[in-house]
Amino acid sequence: MPAIDRARRVVTVVLVALALLVAPQVAFAGFSTPRTSPLQVGTTSLTAPSSPVETHVCPVRGNSEDFTVTLASFTGPSPAQLSYTYTYRLLRDGVEVATSTSTLRTTVLTYSLKSSNKFGAYSLSIEGRSGNWVSPALVVALSCLL
């Protein structure tokens, strides 16, 4: 192998070695001025609504089952500074039979079923929603004594 080829190879190896040593130093970056973000981040959890004030009636009319629940108020989920939309569900034997959605803490739900032998087991479910967050549901069992 001629001397010129050997010299070229040695120079190439030295240049590659220097490039590998110098390249990380060129790519090094740093922050010159520390800054804080204006975005504040925190965590919270929604609690279930509580302390419902409700009345319900279940009049007997022949072979029909009528049920009306009137919710007058309840203690909303926390944190209190959030705005909420409430979903109210009336369930008969675990199946939703009436629903309403409102920003108010009051509602009236009615259900009527013809040709019923007996009254079913009713319950009222209240759920608060703020944005994409949903509170645990408050479920209140309601009964009619016949």
Side-chain angles (χ1 to χ4, degrees):
M1 175 181 282
I4 190 80
D5 286 337
R6 271 189 247 143
R8 192 176 331 159
R9 286 184 182 176
V10 169
V11 169
T12 301
V13 169
V14 169
L15 288 176
V16 168
L18 283 174
L20 291 174
L21 290 174
V22 173
Q25 298 302 320
V26 172
F28 178 78
F31 296 103
S32 58
T33 306
R35 297 187 187 219
T36 59
S37 171
L39 178 65
Q40 297 296 320
V41 177
T43 62
T44 191
S45 61
L46 298 182
T47 60
S50 61
S51 307
V53 176
E54 62 80 25
T55 57
H56 59 278
V57 293
C58 11
V60 176
R61 294 190 185 131
N63 272 349
S64 79
E65 179 179 329
D66 297 319
F67 194 93
T68 300
V69 61
T70 303
L71 180 66
S73 69
F74 61 91
T75 303
S78 65
Q81 66 270 22
L82 298 177
S83 61
Y84 293 92
T85 300
Y86 302 102
T87 301
Y88 307 101
R89 293 181 177 89
L90 180 62
L91 299 110
R92 181 185 186 272
D93 297 328
V95 177
E96 184 179 300
V97 292
T99 187
S100 73
T101 303
S102 174
T103 57
L104 303 176
R105 293 185 187 185
T106 61
T107 193
V108 176
L109 296 170
T110 302
Y111 175 67
S112 183
L113 176 66
K114 303 300 178 206
S115 300
S116 177
N117 299 4
K118 65 175 186 72
F119 272 90
Y122 285 89
S123 59
L124 172 66
S125 169
I126 306 169
E127 184 179 82
R129 178 180 292 270
S130 182
N132 291 330
W133 298 338
V134 179
S135 75
L138 166 66
V139 179
V140 181
L142 310 170
S143 64
C144 287
L145 300 175
L146 297 177

